Amino acid sequence: MEEQQEPKIHVSPAEARRFIEAVLQGNKVPAEHAAIVSKGLVAADLRAVDTHGINRIPSYMTRIRNGILDPAATPLVKQVTPVVHHVDGRNGFGFVAAQRGIDLAIEAAKVYGIGMTSVKGSNHYGMSAWIVKEALKHDMMSLVFTNSSPALPPFGGKSKIIGTSPIACGAPGSGPDRDFILDMAPSVAARGKIYKAKRRGEQIPGDWALDSDGKPTTDPDAALGGVLLPMGGPKGSALAVMMDVFSGVLSGSAFAGEVTGPYDFSRPADVGHFFVVIKPDLFMGLDDFKQRMGTLYERITGSEPAHGVDRVYFTGEREILEQKRREAGGIPLVRAEIDALNEEARRVGVEELKTL
């Protein structure tokens, strides 16, 4: 018998932003920082990356209450060379440290053609694509890396050592809906999807994870007690190690299994990030670059679909289309998620989440 999906309750993007900022400010997050966090979370919900959206608020607030995330921390910046900066997130919100880091890389790239920022002492910054989009606002290409808490075994092992650390990059396209945006985890599935399944009382596919005995499982609790599986075996494992090299080892942050998970409330996370921003008109005019990107888009999307496939999409295009739908129809949540969010609102005496 087909499993029934819990009915979805929709929230407008504007209301989601209002709610997030109110709850954050009620937890002593400065208004400017609350707006940055809200932007990143709602961007994820609009792109259907529901694991990195508004439903992260309860875990973030628990970290503040447990004293392992500083809600008011302002990043410290050190300029290393004209194009290189080192940011200390000072155990504040990862969104805030990431915003500072990508802004510095963008400004350096405007002048010198390339900018690079390494970030240490940070926290979870949500969906990587929102940072890529910050560079795209300035017609810039970008590479966006982060490391994360251990969830994957190295290829051939069974112990958690490397994270489901996403690799992201972007380039401006020939039109506003044709940008290239890649944001992917090196695991078969992001760990946030398993937390989401657990929260919603759903099972997971049998090829996502192993339980503590090393056996495939469809139980999200058993998966979280075991290990996630890297995509493509040694290839996904190697990508995860690469994220640790560039984000953890290079920055001075935790690495090699020492990053604390977002649902581990025992100590600070000490996440590291690495950003590179590149001007796309270094070797040709910007119009020429965008025209060439347009050719790439047309050839990819115009290619002949395989049997049973409706059409071929450009990388990131499905999320762009989903964003348009959710901007019009709202962000879908389930009752348990709304109840958990409203509990946070009641804790600090702010207005609860209004649904459509």
Side-chain angles (χ1 to χ4, degrees):
M1 189 171 68
E2 195 172 311
E3 186 179 0
Q4 280 197 324
Q5 290 279 322
E6 186 175 348
K8 301 297 189 293
I9 303 164
H10 292 77
V11 174
S12 75
E15 171 61 10
R17 281 186 285 268
R18 193 271 320 157
F19 177 86
I20 292 167
E21 291 181 35
V23 170
L24 289 171
Q25 290 181 58
N27 283 275
K28 300 182 180 178
V29 179
E32 181 183 0
H33 292 181
I36 294 170
V37 177
S38 173
K39 173 178 65 178
L41 291 176
V42 175
D45 277 321
L46 289 176
R47 287 174 65 83
V49 187
D50 301 314
T51 55
H52 289 56
I54 190 173
N55 63 53
R56 287 277 182 161
I57 284 293
S59 68
Y60 291 163
M61 297 309 97
T62 302
R63 297 187 77 79
I64 291 174
R65 286 193 292 273
N66 285 23
I68 56 170
L69 189 156
D70 184 347
T74 298
L76 292 176
V77 176
K78 177 183 177 183
Q79 184 167 359
V80 182
T81 78
V83 300
V84 178
H85 292 84
H86 193 200
V87 173
D88 183 350
R90 300 173 68 204
N91 194 34
F93 273 98
F95 298 86
V96 177
Q99 183 75 68
R100 189 76 179 105
I102 198 68
D103 286 347
L104 289 165
I106 290 167
E107 291 309 309
K110 286 179 180 178
V111 178
Y112 300 102
I114 190 167
M116 184 182 86
T117 305
S118 182
V119 182
K120 69 174 183 178
S122 187
N123 278 281
H124 187 261
Y125 63 34
M127 171 191 73
S128 294
W130 79 265
I131 304 168
V132 171
K133 292 176 73 174
E134 292 298 293
L136 288 171
K137 289 177 185 177
H138 299 270
D139 275 335
M140 296 282 186
M141 304 172 73
S142 63
L143 297 169
V144 173
F145 299 168
T146 186
N147 68 353
S148 60
S149 56
L152 300 175
F155 182 68
K158 68 173 187 178
S159 301
K160 293 180 186 178
I161 294 178
I162 47 180
T164 56
S165 312
I167 178 171
C169 59
S174 58
D177 295 340
R178 295 187 171 193
D179 291 334
F180 171 82
I181 303 176
L182 169 68
D183 180 0
M184 69 176 199
S187 55
V188 175
R191 182 168 42 184
K193 289 187 177 180
I194 297 181
Y195 281 113
K196 175 183 171 183
K198 176 183 176 180
R199 194 169 54 246
R200 294 187 173 185
E202 298 170 352
Q203 290 190 325
I204 61 171
D207 61 350
W208 282 14
L210 305 177
D211 64 18
S212 57
D213 294 324
K215 298 176 182 176
T217 181
T218 59
D219 180 353
D221 276 312
L224 293 169
V227 291
L228 304 188
L229 292 172
M231 65 176 187
K235 296 179 181 180
S237 174
L239 283 174
V241 173
M242 184 181 85
M243 294 299 97
D244 227 6
V245 171
F246 279 87
S247 301
V249 176
L250 180 64
S251 69
S253 269
F255 65 101
E258 294 299 316
V259 174
T260 304
Y263 298 95
D264 178 348
F265 306 114
S266 62
R267 59 187 173 90
D270 196 18
V271 181
H273 318 308
F274 178 72
F275 308 138
V276 178
V277 174
I278 304 164
K279 278 189 76 177
D281 58 352
L282 294 176
F283 313 112
M284 65 187 74
L286 181 60
D287 288 343
D288 288 339
F289 177 87
K290 288 188 172 184
Q291 183 178 16
R292 290 165 68 83
M293 286 296 293
T295 299
L296 179 62
Y297 174 90
E298 294 294 346
R299 290 185 181 172
I300 294 291
T301 60
S303 62
E304 189 174 355
H307 177 72
V309 176
D310 204 17
R311 57 158 290 196
V312 177
Y313 292 88
F314 198 54
T315 305
E317 187 178 13
R318 287 178 180 273
E319 290 82 0
I320 290 171
L321 295 172
E322 181 62 23
Q323 178 169 336
K324 291 179 181 296
R325 286 190 285 269
R326 292 192 175 196
E327 283 173 341
I331 296 164
L333 299 168
V334 299
R335 173 50 59 189
E337 291 168 330
I338 291 173
D339 290 344
L341 290 166
N342 284 336
E343 175 60 27
E344 294 299 333
R346 289 189 290 271
R347 281 178 182 270
V348 292
V350 300
E351 186 179 359
E352 294 184 8
L353 192 62
K354 290 181 286 190
T355 60
L356 292 175

